[in-house]
Amino acid sequence: MPITTLSGIAAIILYLFATGLHANMIKQAGTARTRAGFPTLLVGGLGAAAQFVQAWFLMVKVDGYHFGVIEVSVLISAALATIALITNARRPLGDLILGVLPITALITLVSLIFQSQYPPQQMSGDVFFHILVSVLAYSFAALAALQSAFLAFQNYQLRNHHPTAVIRRFPPLQDMEKLLFELLWLTQILLTVGIIAGFAFAQSWTEQGLIHKMFFSILAWLVFAVLLWGRHQLGWRGNTAIRGTLTGFVCLLLGFYGSKAVIEFILGG
């Protein structure tokens, strides 16, 4: 059995096990306002390590690097799981792990069923740095989008006076919003570095949908910049923060996955 399959299966099992451990801990505590326990962090971390191994062998080929939709999604989801685990180790926001780990397990499962036909590419260290920073930016943006979805659900329930048992387990709105904007600042910093690196290291703007990617990356950067400015100067929060975060994330999705889908599935690589 190929190592990509073995590591992928191991990642799925470990992610689901870590999710179960964390859900049980939240159930016993009666609230998601708790940090992940050592067993959850250990099992989840081993799952992320297995997924990074899978991503490595999927992407690194003898004749170049394979950056197809499936392969990059595996890398992004591994980074996403790692960031979620580290965040929850620092902050008592257990809802993130319950949202992230099942999603990363699902992405890993998809990668075991489908394969990208995108051809491997040769690239310099500069371009690889640009891609690495972009992957981290996408990961933080995805985590911020997930956090904003939790925040939207919590906000809706509270506004409509539906304080269900699930909502009572959520952290306070202020803590949820604080984490959201911390994630957005990190996303913005990484996105800035990625865009600058893209301009500095790009050799051909007509290849691999680079113009399309840069356009939507800059658009997302502008959306996040306005949102962060509004938060600092005008105190924006609530639905404004949620809509801004999701809008910027959709721009990033269109920039990366839109161009990848056209190149791989419509133009045939």
Side-chain angles (χ1 to χ4, degrees):
M1 187 179 292
I3 190 170
T4 53
T5 303
L6 286 173
S7 56
I9 293 174
I12 293 172
I13 294 173
L14 290 165
Y15 280 146
L16 295 180
F17 187 31
T19 302
L21 287 172
H22 196 57
N24 184 60
M25 187 180 71
I26 289 176
K27 182 179 179 181
Q28 291 180 352
T31 177
R33 305 171 193 177
T34 180
R35 293 180 175 87
F38 178 76
T40 301
L41 295 175
L42 176 61
V43 176
L46 289 174
Q51 196 176 25
F52 275 120
V53 170
Q54 182 198 20
W56 174 267
F57 283 97
L58 283 174
M59 298 175 71
V60 180
K61 305 295 183 181
V62 176
D63 51 350
Y65 297 92
H66 196 173
F67 285 105
V69 169
I70 299 297
E71 292 74 21
V72 176
S73 295
V74 172
L75 179 60
I76 290 175
S77 60
L80 180 60
T82 302
I83 294 168
L85 289 166
I86 293 173
T87 299
N88 193 244
R90 294 177 52 250
R91 304 279 292 278
L93 297 163
D95 55 309
L96 277 181
I97 288 182
L98 295 183
V100 169
L101 296 191
I103 292 174
T104 54
L106 178 60
I107 293 173
T108 307
L109 178 62
V110 171
S111 72
L112 297 177
I113 300 173
F114 300 101
Q115 292 185 347
S116 173
Q117 301 303 314
Y118 196 64
Q121 298 174 284
Q122 295 291 338
M123 65 182 60
S124 65
D126 293 339
V127 175
F128 186 80
F129 170 78
H130 163 67
I131 293 174
L132 179 62
V133 172
S134 298
V135 165
L136 288 174
Y138 288 136
S139 301
F140 276 107
L143 198 59
L146 181 62
Q147 178 72 358
S148 69
F150 281 128
L151 189 59
F153 176 71
Q154 186 179 13
N155 207 21
Y156 174 81
Q157 294 293 323
L158 292 174
R159 285 180 180 275
N160 289 275
H161 307 290
H162 297 148
T164 62
V166 174
I167 286 299
R168 285 193 289 269
R169 293 176 183 268
F170 273 61
L173 277 173
Q174 294 86 347
D175 292 346
M176 296 281 282
E177 287 183 345
K178 183 178 180 181
L179 176 60
L180 173 61
F181 280 95
E182 286 178 1
L183 292 170
L184 288 175
W185 271 112
L186 290 169
T187 299
Q188 189 72 337
I189 292 170
L190 290 167
L191 197 56
T192 301
V193 175
I195 290 172
I196 293 173
F199 277 108
F201 305 142
Q203 297 180 352
S204 175
W205 286 90
T206 60
E207 294 182 0
Q208 314 308 329
L210 187 56
I211 294 177
H212 179 272
K213 294 175 189 175
M214 291 299 289
F215 171 78
F216 280 102
S217 294
I218 293 172
L219 189 60
W221 187 94
L222 291 173
V223 171
F224 291 142
V226 171
L227 181 56
L228 291 170
W229 175 86
R231 170 72 170 184
H232 181 70
Q233 296 292 330
L234 306 175
W236 286 354
R237 57 193 301 269
N239 289 331
T240 302
I242 293 166
R243 286 192 291 265
T245 301
L246 294 177
T247 299
F249 180 61
V250 168
C251 289
L252 289 179
L253 284 181
L254 289 173
F256 178 75
Y257 284 103
S259 59
K260 283 288 186 184
V262 171
I263 293 171
E264 290 188 38
F265 304 118
I266 298 178
L267 301 179

